[in-house]
Amino acid sequence: MDSTATQSAFRQQPNLRLRNPPLDRPDGSELFEDTSGAVAGSYMGKNQAGPQMSGFPGQSILSDPMSNLAMAYGSSLATQGREMVDKNLDRFIPISKLKYYFAVDTLYVGKKLSLVVFPYMHENWEVNFQQDTPVAPRFDVNAPDLYIPVMAFITYILVAGLALGTQNRFSPELLGVQASSALVWLIMEVLAVLLSLYLVAINTDLTTIDLLAFSGYKYVGMIIGVVAGLLFGRLAYYLCLLWCCAAIFVFMIRTLRLKLLSEAAAEGKLVRATRNQLRMYLTMSIAAAQPVFMFWLTYHLIR
């Protein structure tokens, strides 16, 4: 009986050693530390920390003082570069001034269109000023704007494409030629006026943007003439275009006359007869050129 128990215990002893190998050192300390609990604890700690400890991949980089210094230096360089670009861009394209020419509302657009089409009953053509600064176009119908010329130019291109389509002559290339030719003629017109002002030595408060605005009002009459021709035939085109040509001629005469004579009137001096005639001839030439461009850019669209 005892021998049998001893043999069974002797046989089970390797199993017990395999399960819990007590490899003890002579001094009583373990040969290898049990790190399973520490690993599990650290793993649980990471899971509990979650987003607070993990964050995002660049968090360790952003916490570095040298990285923060580099980012601050880069942002300052970007700010300086943007200011330099804005300053140089404003030298050639006055973006701050362009905001003035687009400060319009629906009421102003309606009044301005009626003034361009029917300028005969309008009496006061002077631009209002507030502290030596012209008021925004939405407060003064006499102030020039760029909203109507730009929208009229785009509408003219679209109407020209419609006219070409009704004649089975539409093509993207032909529409591009139409748009580019109209733009080139507009630029040449403005450059010719600037050259004339320089040669005649006329000092005026007219700017290049003002000339673009006044030269762009003729597209309103061109649109009316082409649409009338598409709807009612060639005779309606000629009648409407003739009316719009006369209207734009009167509009330009009454508007530019004050602009070209503004300096002499402000100084209270009488302009010499020769200089006064040059100013009037230049005003008449600019006004007379508008009907010529209106006919030249629209006559081939009506057949």
Side-chain angles (χ1 to χ4, degrees):
M1 182 76 179
D2 296 336
S3 61
T4 305
T6 303
Q7 292 178 357
S8 63
F10 179 77
R11 293 176 181 177
Q12 293 176 358
Q13 187 175 1
N15 297 332
L16 294 175
R17 289 182 179 178
L18 290 174
R19 292 178 182 176
N20 291 315
L23 298 177
D24 298 336
R25 299 180 62 180
D27 57 355
S29 61
E30 295 182 357
L31 181 60
F32 298 102
E33 295 182 0
D34 187 6
T35 59
S36 61
V39 173
S42 62
Y43 179 75
M44 293 298 295
K46 290 183 179 179
N47 290 338
Q48 291 177 359
Q52 287 78 8
M53 295 185 63
S54 61
F56 50 91
Q59 186 175 3
S60 60
I61 299 177
L62 293 178
S63 61
D64 188 4
M66 294 300 295
S67 301
N68 294 333
L69 181 62
M71 291 182 62
Y73 182 70
S75 62
S76 63
L77 286 180
T79 303
Q80 293 177 2
R82 183 177 57 188
E83 292 177 355
M84 185 178 299
V85 170
D86 294 340
K87 185 183 298 183
N88 293 330
L89 185 63
D90 190 70
R91 183 184 303 175
F92 300 99
I93 303 176
I95 299 177
S96 59
K97 295 181 180 180
L98 287 178
K99 296 179 180 179
Y100 165 81
Y101 292 92
F102 286 94
V104 300
D105 54 10
T106 306
L107 183 61
Y108 168 83
V109 172
K111 290 182 178 180
K112 194 71 172 187
L113 290 176
S114 62
L115 184 62
V116 172
V117 177
F118 193 82
Y120 308 105
M121 303 299 295
H122 192 66
E123 296 179 357
N124 184 17
W125 292 85
E126 294 183 358
V127 178
N128 297 324
F129 285 80
Q130 184 178 5
Q131 297 180 354
D132 298 333
T133 303
V135 298
R138 61 174 176 267
F139 301 119
D140 186 11
V141 71
N142 296 323
D145 71 285
L146 282 178
Y147 177 80
I148 293 178
V150 170
M151 298 305 296
F153 181 84
I154 297 174
T155 307
Y156 161 72
I157 300 302
L158 296 177
V159 172
L162 178 62
L164 294 175
T166 56
Q167 303 169 10
N168 296 325
R169 295 190 297 139
F170 177 81
S171 65
E173 293 80 8
L174 188 58
L175 187 62
V177 171
Q178 185 74 24
S180 59
S181 62
L183 184 61
V184 168
W185 281 114
L186 178 63
I187 295 175
M188 291 180 60
E189 178 186 356
V190 173
L191 292 178
V193 174
L194 290 175
L195 180 61
S196 301
L197 292 175
Y198 175 76
L199 294 177
V200 181
I202 296 178
N203 295 323
T204 178
D205 58 351
L206 273 176
T207 62
T208 305
I209 304 178
D210 291 336
L211 294 176
L212 280 173
F214 290 127
S215 299
Y217 288 130
K218 62 175 173 287
Y219 292 105
V220 176
M222 294 163 59
I223 295 169
I224 295 176
V226 174
V227 171
L230 292 176
L231 295 177
F232 306 105
R234 198 173 185 84
L235 180 60
Y237 160 76
Y238 282 116
L239 292 178
C240 291
L241 188 66
L242 181 61
W243 174 273
C244 293
C245 288
I248 197 65
F249 180 81
V250 175
F251 174 82
M252 296 293 287
I253 287 290
R254 295 184 177 181
T255 302
L256 294 179
R257 182 182 59 184
L258 297 177
K259 292 289 184 179
L260 295 179
L261 299 176
S262 59
E263 183 189 9
E267 294 178 356
K269 299 179 181 179
L270 294 177
V271 182
R272 292 183 301 176
T274 306
R275 184 64 59 84
N276 193 14
Q277 289 180 357
L278 291 176
R279 291 173 183 263
M280 292 303 300
Y281 288 156
L282 182 58
T283 304
M284 295 285 290
S285 300
I286 298 174
Q290 306 306 309
V292 175
F293 285 115
M294 292 173 66
F295 178 77
W296 176 258
L297 294 174
T298 57
Y299 79 98
H300 62 282
L301 299 175
I302 304 298
R303 290 186 178 180

